[in-house]
Amino acid sequence: MTTGLVNFGLGISRERVRELVHGGRLDAIRIGRELLVDARSVEHRKSVARGRPLSARMAWGFLWSLSGYQPSWISPSERVRLKRYARERVPAQWPRLLSGRARLHRVRMLPGPLARLREDPHAVVSGPVAAGRHGADLMAGSADEEFYVDAARFDELARSRRLRLNSAEPNAVIRVPALSGVLRPPGSDGLAIPAAVAADLLDAGDERSVLAAQQLLTRLGEVHKLGE
């Protein structure tokens, strides 16, 4: 970890760094009055910070389409745009391209509420657990559990104190989608859709996660073609 709140050569203000930390785009922990920002997450962001992010509508349309579902909120002209993105944007650009899909929170949860969240109809499992169940060669190990949780349910969990925000010792990662009704397409189960899991792994940026994301995308490419 690197001490202090500076822009690390990102060319942005201290306030923007705070926004990135709050939104989960930079990894950091708070110790007393000091924010400690992970220099590796800064380097990862610098490497993918090119290109304009998709809106939440388009980001989820992109992920649904790659996963073999039909996003009803996407128009024919937008579908053409998504095909172009699928052709032109390499996976290394996904963290920037899809950054508007959800807000990220690192939280602390007790075992009981955490176990219930795995079965919650307003949540889906993502991260290494979902990647393994989707067929990627990645074990969960000791990594934090990862979920997508509907905004209303996340607010309820926060109000009831079943999760602790800004913990110095988080044990779960929760992404709150910026578009409602996208977590469980017809026929899906309690896992995040494969393309969303791949996006989450690419956000992590470490070698094992990136390789697992590429495996998922290869499997998707063998089954589905965007928009067909």
Side-chain angles (χ1 to χ4, degrees), residues 134-225:
H134 281 309
D137 184 17
L138 182 66
M139 300 297 292
S142 60
D144 293 344
E145 296 195 51
E146 298 190 28
F147 304 88
Y148 279 92
V149 179
D150 284 335
R153 178 53 55 90
F154 178 81
D155 291 342
E156 178 187 346
L157 292 171
R159 286 196 304 270
S160 64
R161 298 186 179 180
R162 280 176 279 177
L163 59 81
R164 183 186 304 167
L165 296 169
N166 302 319
S167 171
E169 297 181 346
N171 63 349
V173 174
I174 294 180
R175 291 177 173 86
V176 180
L179 190 68
S180 63
V182 296
L183 294 187
R184 292 179 179 252
S188 65
D189 53 18
L191 300 177
I193 57 177
V197 176
D200 298 343
L201 295 173
L202 290 167
D203 280 354
D206 63 276
E207 184 177 0
R208 292 180 67 251
S209 296
V210 170
L211 288 174
Q214 291 172 341
Q215 289 177 357
L216 284 180
L217 294 176
T218 298
R219 290 173 63 89
L220 288 176
E222 293 172 352
V223 178
H224 306 297
K225 291 185 179 179

